[in-house]
Every structure is written in C-alpha cells, then in structure tokens.
Amino acid sequence: MSHRINDHPPRVFFRCGNPFKNLFPKNNNASISKNLQSLLNHFETNLSVSIRELIPKDDGNAILTVSWMKEAMASLCETHRSIRTLVTELDLPVSDLEENFIYIYSGISLKLLDLCNSFTSELDRLNHGNLLLKFALSKLETKSCSEETSLLHLESWRQHMASKNPRIENCGKIMTSLVESLKQHHHHSLSKKKLSGKVKVLLRALYGVELKTLYITSVFAAVFSGSSKNLLYLTIPKEMEEVPWAQAFMELQNMVNPEIKNVFLSGGFTVIKDLEAVEPGVKKLHTAVQEGSVTNVLVEVLKKSVMELSERFDLVSMETCCLMKTVISARDALVGRLWTKYEEELGVTLPMIISVKRLVCE
C-alpha cells in the first residue's frame, strides 16, 4: 500500500477571535454556581483521565495497533455517554437549548455517524480480506488445490488489501464539513451577550468532547486511508489552556502524530501494526508454495495470527457501533424534547418520531 505524507499547519477551531473566551475561569466563573462548577469539574477531570489513558506509558509502540484503536473508540463512546449524563444533570429547559442548537447538533451528529459508518465499512473490508486468507490457508491445510491455485488465493488477498474504500476516501470531506459545522454552532451559541450558567457549563464541556472526537476520528481516517492529510493537529487557545484536559490532549497529539507520520514514511504494507505483522507471514508462505516446502507449522502460525486479528477488528467494530448508538440516543433525546415543546405549544399530540437506532449495527 502506498502512503501519502502531507505536512499541514495546526488546525485552530476559531481563526477570527475566540468565542469561548467568556466561558473560562479568568473571565466568568462568577455567574456559575458552586453546584454547576462541581458538575463541570467532575466532567472535565474525567475527560482528562480518559485522554491520558490513551497516551502510551512507555513509547509509541502501542499506537496504531488494533488494540489501541479499540481502546480509543471505547474511550470516545464513554465520553459521549458522559456528556449525555451531564445534559441530564443540568436539566436544561428547551428555551435554553433553543431550536437552532438542537437542529445544528442533529446535523453535526449525522456527520459523526457518517464517519463511523465509513470506519465500520473499512473494518468489514479488512475482515473480508482475513476471510480470503483463511480460505487460502484451509486449502493449503487440506492440500485440496494445486500450487497455481494456492498462489492465486494468496494474491487475491494482497490485491484486496491494496484496494481502496470509496467511503474512507470521502472521510476528509466529511471532517472538513464537521469542523465548519462546529464553528458555526459555537459562533451562533456564543454570540449572545447573556448565557445562563447551565448553558456555559454545557458549551464548555462540549468543546472538550468535540476536540477529542475530532482528533480520534482523524487518527482513524488517517490510518484507514493511509494518508496523513486526514490527521488533525488541534491547538488550544491561551484562554483555554487551564482546563484540566488541555495538557493531556496536547501530549496525546504530540505522541501519536509523529508516530503515525514515521510509519507512513517507512513505506510499509499498511500502517496498522497488527496487519503489518501478518504480511511477512503471507510472503513467506507464498515463497514456500512456489518452492513446494509448505509445512503445517507455517500454516498454523499464520492462521492463528489471522484469527486473532479478525477478533480484534470485531472488537473495534463493536466499540464503533457503541459510539453510533450513543450519539443517536442523545440526538433522539434532544429532538424528543423539542417535539414535546411543539406539542405543548400547539396543544396537540404529534406523530411519534421514528428512531433510526434500531438500524445501526444490528
């Protein structure tokens, strides 16, 4: 597989001033009650811990493994659960949330779901490659095909793994659109002179969730596409540097980004280390088939690696589906509150909104 290296300047959410300036300690803690401050502190401390847990303790060898990807997606899913819990604890009235906020959030969540669908599509494609390899190995185990056919089976795996996934190729556009939607959302929300304490807490918490979401999805997009142009480096404005999660977030980026770019520069078969470890075994087996020296041990070792890799890919898919369900659940809850408001205003019972939750990962 070929990899594209692109050096881009750090991405900043807001280039024309910082609309979050009034949400941070030096400027506006006075309007936030002790109870709200406690909720915010608890949320941001947990966010900091969740980000720090993704930083490899020794070196970067754990990065770009399927296990790390599984942990990253599980962490993201938990963070989105936490923000929904915070919304429940804040008990914001619909008048504070506003219709526009709910509509924009619905649009943002749809873009995130598009990314998740792209990731599960790629994981399915990778696992299909594993099936091709398992089939080739089973034929070699039973000696039920000719040398020429065995070589064709192995080559079909290589060709499949080198193919492109159109949905992954489109991730860059989706992420650009997602960043723009987030900018528009916050500029609109924070352009007002008066914000309640509850809204300030929610918007500040959302900012941390959004940065973590953007960054992790950019890592997945870069890994799956084999292109560093999809990898984001997000800077945090000075007014926000004191938030509990800021240092951990920058450390995570400073550890992960160089490692990803180094792997791209090495020109390997793939940037996913578990899959990269399988490829030499396939090469060795290919040579053995040509030479007529295939052994049961060689086949068994490769078969074990492929089985383990399939299981790990399945775990990443499960966590991605978990994130999708969590996002849809939060979206349904917000839209449901807006629907209830309309019913109260109109004095009628409106038709139920059909949730798409049951269509996701089932």
Side-chain angles (χ1 to χ4, degrees):
M1 287 184 179
S2 61
H3 310 302
R4 299 188 296 275
I5 308 297
N6 300 83
D7 289 320
H8 297 285
R11 303 281 187 96
V12 184
F13 252 120
F14 309 103
R15 296 191 180 279
C16 301
N18 176 18
F20 280 92
K21 190 172 182 179
N22 292 331
L23 301 183
F24 287 79
K26 292 182 180 179
N27 303 290
N28 223 329
N29 258 9
S31 61
I32 298 179
S33 69
K34 287 184 179 180
N35 180 52
L36 290 177
Q37 189 64 51
S38 176
L39 286 175
L40 180 60
N41 290 343
H42 178 72
F43 179 85
E44 291 188 328
T45 298
N46 287 342
L47 180 61
S48 177
V49 170
S50 72
I51 292 172
R52 195 164 292 283
E53 286 175 345
L54 296 177
I55 303 173
K57 292 179 175 59
D58 300 320
D59 52 44
N61 288 333
I63 302 168
L64 299 183
T65 62
V66 181
S67 295
W68 185 87
M69 294 174 73
K70 180 257 181 187
E71 292 303 320
M73 193 56 75
S75 177
L76 200 53
C77 182
E78 184 57 37
T79 294
H80 279 263
R81 283 201 196 102
S82 297
I83 194 68
R84 184 180 178 185
T85 300
L86 179 63
V87 170
T88 301
E89 292 172 337
L90 290 173
D91 192 26
L92 282 158
V94 177
S95 58
D96 272 356
L97 287 174
E98 289 193 344
E99 296 175 23
N100 192 65
F101 172 89
I102 295 174
Y103 287 137
I104 293 175
Y105 177 81
S106 294
I108 290 171
S109 64
L110 282 177
K111 292 181 176 69
L112 178 54
L113 291 172
D114 279 344
L115 287 172
C116 289
N117 276 322
S118 297
F119 298 156
T120 54
S121 169
E122 179 63 8
L123 289 163
D124 287 344
R125 190 188 72 85
L126 292 172
N127 256 340
H128 181 68
N130 287 338
L131 285 174
L132 292 174
L133 198 48
K134 288 176 191 176
F135 179 75
L137 293 173
S138 69
K139 291 295 183 182
L140 286 169
E141 276 184 317
T142 58
K143 298 180 173 59
S144 58
C145 63
S146 66
E147 173 188 316
E148 182 180 355
T149 303
S150 294
L151 292 174
L152 285 173
H153 288 324
L154 294 175
E155 186 57 33
S156 68
W157 172 81
R158 179 175 291 278
Q159 289 176 358
H160 177 79
M161 301 309 290
S163 64
K164 298 292 184 181
N165 184 342
R167 299 194 69 169
I168 290 296
E169 295 295 302
N170 195 44
C171 280
K173 291 180 180 179
I174 297 174
M175 294 195 68
T176 298
S177 176
L178 180 58
V179 171
E180 290 305 314
S181 294
L182 291 171
K183 286 181 182 178
Q184 291 172 12
H185 162 215
H186 289 302
H187 273 301
H188 172 82
S189 299
L190 298 170
S191 61
K192 300 189 176 185
K193 293 181 179 179
K194 291 185 179 180
L195 292 173
S196 70
K198 289 183 177 182
V199 172
K200 288 180 181 179
V201 168
L202 175 60
L203 292 176
R204 177 166 150 169
L206 274 173
Y207 183 72
V209 174
E210 288 161 356
L211 253 67
K212 180 180 178 181
T213 301
L214 268 178
Y215 180 65
I216 290 179
T217 53
S218 84
V219 170
F220 272 64
V223 167
F224 286 146
S225 67
S227 173
S228 63
K229 73 176 183 179
N230 290 323
L231 183 64
L232 298 180
Y233 185 82
L234 301 165
T235 61
I236 300 175
K238 283 188 177 181
E239 292 86 354
M240 307 180 194
E241 288 177 351
E242 293 184 6
V243 295
W245 49 265
Q247 183 178 350
F249 182 73
M250 296 310 296
E251 287 178 10
L252 177 64
Q253 291 188 106
N254 291 334
M255 172 70 82
V256 173
N257 284 25
E259 178 66 16
I260 291 177
K261 291 185 178 181
N262 286 338
V263 174
F264 285 151
L265 288 169
S266 69
F269 176 72
T270 175
V271 297
I272 302 174
K273 292 180 179 178
D274 310 60
L275 190 54
E276 179 71 16
V278 168
E279 200 261 346
V282 176
K283 274 187 177 179
K284 191 174 181 180
L285 182 60
H286 191 280
T287 301
V289 171
Q290 288 178 316
E291 297 174 348
S293 57
V294 177
T295 64
N296 289 335
V297 173
L298 182 60
V299 173
E300 282 299 320
V301 169
L302 184 55
K303 182 179 179 182
K304 181 181 178 182
S305 297
V306 174
M307 294 290 289
E308 291 174 350
L309 183 58
S310 292
E311 291 172 359
R312 291 176 195 147
F313 280 147
D314 286 341
L315 290 175
V316 180
S317 290
M318 286 174 59
E319 295 299 343
T320 306
C321 288
C322 168
L323 175 60
M324 294 171 75
K325 289 178 179 179
T326 302
V327 170
I328 289 173
S329 178
R331 181 174 176 272
D332 285 351
L334 283 173
V335 174
R337 291 179 67 178
L338 183 60
W339 214 244
T340 300
K341 176 190 174 185
Y342 289 159
E343 288 183 329
E344 292 172 353
E345 290 177 349
L346 296 172
V348 297
T349 300
L350 297 173
M352 290 292 293
I353 300 173
I354 299 175
S355 172
V356 296
K357 191 187 307 180
R358 64 178 181 270
L359 303 177
V360 179
C361 300
E362 291 182 0

